[in-house]
Amino acid sequence: MSTAVSARAKTGDTEEAPLLQVRDLHVEFRTRDGVAKAVNGVNYSVRAGETLAILGESGSGKSVSSQAVMGILDSPPGFVTGGEIMFKGRDLLKLSNEERRKVRGAQMAMVFQDALSSLNPVHTVGTQLGEMYRVHKGSSRKDAKLKAIELMERVGIPGAKERVNQYPHQFSGGMRQRVMIAMALALEPDLIIADEPTTALDVTVQAQVMELLGDLQREYNMGLILITHDLGVVADVADKIAVMYAGRIVETAPVHELYARPAHPYTRGLLDSIPRLDQKGQELYAIKGLPPNLLRIPSGCAFNPRCPMAQDICRSEVPPLHAVTEQDGRALPGRGSACHFWKETLHG
Amino acid sequence: MASPVSSVPAEEAIEAAVEKPVERGEPILQVRDLEKHFPLTQGILIKKQVGAVKAVDGVSFDLYQGETLGIVGESGCGKSTLAKVLMNLERATAGQVLYKGEDISRASGRALKAIRRNIQMVFQDPYTSLNPRMTVGDIIGEPFEIHPEVAPKGDRRKAVQDLLDVVGLNPEYINRYPHQFSGGQRQRIGIARGLALKPEVIIADEPVSALDVSVQAQVINLLEQLQDEFNLSYMFIAHDLSIVRHISDRVGVMYLGKMVEIGSDEEIYEHPTHPYTQALLSAVPVPDPSGREGRERILLSGDIPSPANPPSGCRFRTRCWKAQEKCSIDVPLLAVPEVFRGQSTPAAHASACHFAEDVDVVGAG
Ligand SMILES: Nc1ncnc2c1ncn2[C@@H]1O[C@H](COP(=O)(O)OP(=O)(O)O)[C@@H](O)[C@H]1O
Ligand SMILES: Nc1ncnc2c1ncn2[C@@H]1O[C@H](COP(=O)(O)OP(=O)(O)O)[C@@H](O)[C@H]1O
Ligand code: SF4
Ligand code: SF4
Ligand SMILES: [Mg+2]
Ligand SMILES: [Mg+2]
């Protein structure tokens, strides 16, 4: 696996310490209707320069798990009830609020789907960008504005010198998303979490924004967590993928392998259910039923009511994330499947 | 509301037309030079028109009986406005919509009522398009209030339960409220309502865009199955080009209020000749990482211009990498481009570009 080794050498972190390592993370929401178990033991890691895509349908816990990492969980009703979030050698869950705030923005930043509601409508874009420098670096008003213009140019906003004085609503959706990216980038963080950053955009603009994110990530050698439900976007940019279902990671794999040989029935169902641009398909495969209500997650494997391969054991025992190997037992690095029948699924 | 005397013959002609059968493959809707301009006004007390948003600006195409015509294009290009004008939910500013040969774009009264029975709409948002205070039975059965001839009072409950069954919902859910259903189930309710009056044409505006991948496939399969069962003609609006290819027989591409290219699915996806279509197709993320490094992408620069003030000549010229002087002067017409005329290539389909070229951007051919 010489390519993996050289990639690691380039990024400068070691096997023992990835940039971010999430271990056995649990998050629940205590609501009037009961306890919604939104995240149920999630594990993943991201290295500098690496792109991890977290893929899943709505409600699977993608946003909540990353909000826990960022420390911006809506709490109450949301609570982290277990796990570790190791970031650059420290467990973020053990830090004080003050220390956490320093990490946020300076070392990790987030880009949201809806740029319009994440930007302040009453302040100019320049003021909001400049504030990052004024608050975190104590820059003067004038320097902050110059920095803001520089950033806007870096993220490809034409006419930055004039537009720095405009308000968010005067920008198109794609340009607003660039402003959000500029904001996340301002303090040159080590990690960016992008939560459905292009979902609200047209494909033409989507392609521009994804290209920009990828360029910046390479340039600054940042870790990138890309949250999305779009199998196309993932295939385009991710190095590795974690597929989430009902608050759990059900499959992890390097991007090429996941698409070529899924080892979990849910992943396989998702891949089969999307129409393709380059071929006229027959009837689409449709995963039956609906994603579960998190107040009443099915016992055993949460996917069992919808799974065409389910057996009795699937209704009683929660499948752990098995290490996935070749038929002859050869290891497949980075691959895991939370399915009792991963062998049948993969080698079937 | 009294309609002007002169429109009465037209009204009767439309009512007669509604009953006329149409052969499979014959045009059922013919759209001609259709325009919808929204006035832009200034002033509070005395409103002065200072311009117009040209949301739909001279669009012509046919919808054939039994086919699915997909309509694609970036947001704001006029897809929803086109749908609303066809549905008579918005009045056309100019042009015609011929339904079985009769112009329905100015219909009112009984004629409008008769048309509404036969042309139905399914909306994008299953969360806001259903009245939260009505039961599912009332929502689906509401069209029967206006058209009691379709299902006499005593038969309605049964009719609604049959519709629930047709769209794959449990008929026992008839007394439930919309919030008790998931997004995909609500979209099925919207479809059941659209089917209630046994229409001939269904105009679906982004019917699966708000749904999760696994649920999208269920609804798409349902729409296809219903089309076969009830011999429906679909106009299917979406921004997801992969879904449109899957479901459509023909596809029309819109840009800034105009139709810029139209043809069969193979013609549009494998032999697009309009630069905008090529850019749109090349931008679609393909769910297959193999060969992603080699994939060429046409990245459009700049934003879509305002439909209140579209560029002269070809509207796409401000973002087109092939634009020449001619493009800013002459409006390209939607027709088979001269270079392909009379040839038997799939590139010989209607495309509004002065410099049309056959380029395979999807890598299918
Ligand atoms: N503020 C909240 N209050 C209560 N429950 C919440 C809240 N935010 C999220 N949840 C629960 O967490 C689940 C996962 O949400 P989320 O992570 O946003 O899903 P997604 O995968 O779509 O990003 C939701 O289905 C919901 O039940
Ligand atoms: N009622 C209206 N008044 C003024 N402008 C409108 C109205 N409805 C739509 N528009 C404008 O018409 C254009 C086309 O809109 P729409 O048909 O909704 O596009 P699409 O469905 O393709 O996204 C847009 O510029 C939109 O802002
Ligand atoms: S554990 Fe059982 S139910 Fe779950 S995915 Fe595997 S086969 Fe299906
Ligand atoms: S007519 Fe000119 S500007 Fe318009 S698409 Fe063709 S080449 Fe481009
Ligand atoms: Mg989310
Ligand atoms: Mg629309």
Side-chain angles (χ1 to χ4, degrees), chain B residues 74-249:
Chain B
E74 287 165 290
S75 53
C77 70
K79 304 181 297 294
S80 295
T81 305
L82 172 63
K84 286 182 200 151
V85 174
L86 297 185
M87 288 297 301
N88 259 302
L89 295 171
E90 294 275 7
R91 282 285 183 199
T93 314
Q96 294 183 310
V97 178
L98 304 174
Y99 170 60
K100 300 181 184 176
E102 293 298 324
D103 186 6
I104 59 168
S105 63
R106 280 153 199 85
S108 59
R110 275 180 17 227
L112 188 55
K113 202 173 139 186
I115 299 160
R116 289 249 162 94
R117 214 188 116 172
N118 284 8
I119 308 178
Q120 284 285 323
M121 190 149 172
V122 174
F123 295 92
Q124 164 173 7
D125 191 348
Y127 294 91
T128 57
S129 59
L130 305 179
N131 184 338
R133 281 178 295 277
M134 283 167 75
T135 66
V136 165
D138 291 339
I139 290 171
I140 298 175
E142 196 181 29
F144 298 144
E145 298 289 327
I146 304 155
H147 295 273
E149 72 280 8
V150 182
K153 257 219 148 60
D155 300 345
R156 280 196 202 156
R157 195 180 161 83
K158 173 82 173 56
V160 168
Q161 287 184 322
D162 287 348
L163 284 163
L164 282 169
D165 190 44
V166 160
V167 299
L169 290 173
N170 189 336
E172 283 164 23
Y173 292 170
I174 188 164
N175 293 322
R176 295 196 181 182
Y177 290 88
H179 75 264
Q180 295 173 287
F181 293 89
S182 69
Q185 288 174 322
R186 281 186 232 208
Q187 199 52 290
R188 287 173 192 266
I189 295 167
I191 294 169
R193 182 189 156 99
L195 288 174
L197 300 176
K198 307 192 174 77
E200 296 175 316
V201 177
I202 288 191
I203 297 176
D205 189 2
E206 310 259 10
V208 298
S209 306
L211 305 177
D212 269 315
V213 194
S214 75
V215 181
Q216 263 183 11
Q218 297 171 358
V219 174
I220 290 171
N221 287 343
L222 171 67
L223 285 169
E224 294 195 305
Q225 171 210 323
L226 294 172
Q227 180 168 42
D228 292 345
E229 197 171 329
F230 299 106
N231 200 14
L232 299 165
S233 312
Y234 285 154
M235 187 166 110
F236 188 97
I237 298 170
H239 62 264
D240 184 321
L241 286 108
S242 310
I243 291 178
V244 168
R245 169 151 213 196
H246 177 83
I247 199 167
S248 305
D249 302 297

Side-chain angles (χ1 to χ4, degrees), chain A residues 57-58 172 202 204 208 211 232 235-238 256 259 274-275 277-278 280 282-285 287 289-290 306, chain B residues 74-75 182 212-214 217-218 221 242 245-246 248 269 285-289 292 295 297 299-300 303 362 364:
Chain A
E57 294 181 87
S58 54
S172 68
D202 278 309
T204 50
Q208 296 166 358
E211 181 135 311
D236 262 358
V237 298
H256 291 278
Y259 284 77
I274 41 171
L277 190 66
D278 53 0
K280 181 88 179 170
Q282 303 303 308
E283 192 180 349
L284 292 175
Y285 173 80
I287 300 176
L290 302 170
R306 309 177 72 188
Chain B
E74 287 165 290
S75 53
S182 69
D212 269 315
V213 194
S214 75
Q218 297 171 358
N221 287 343
S242 310
R245 169 151 213 196
H246 177 83
S248 305
Y269 283 83
V286 180
D288 180 1
R292 74 180 181 192
R295 200 171 295 144
R297 193 154 269 176
L299 282 186
L300 291 179
D303 287 334
V362 171

Side-chain angles (χ1 to χ4, degrees), chain A residues 24-32 34-41 61 64-65 67-68 73-83 246-247 294-295 297:
Chain A
D24 200 25
L25 182 68
H26 288 258
V27 182
E28 59 185 42
F29 286 89
R30 298 174 191 153
T31 68
R32 255 184 306 170
V35 176
K37 302 212 162 170
V39 179
N40 303 305
V64 166
S65 52
Q67 285 159 6
L73 194 64
D74 185 14
S75 178
F79 297 91
V80 175
T81 52
L294 296 181
L295 297 172
I297 297 178

Side-chain angles (χ1 to χ4, degrees), chain A residues 16-25 44-46 69 83-95 100 103 108 191:
Chain A
E16 300 79 55
L19 179 62
L20 173 75
Q21 178 132 38
V22 175
R23 288 200 198 107
D24 200 25
L25 182 68
Y44 61 74
S45 67
V46 191
V69 171
E84 278 179 358
I85 300 171
M86 300 300 296
F87 180 65
K88 298 173 82 178
R90 293 192 293 178
D91 183 357
L92 296 182
L93 293 176
K94 298 217 168 80
L95 299 187
R100 208 86 205 257
V103 172
M108 58 166 74
L191 176 72

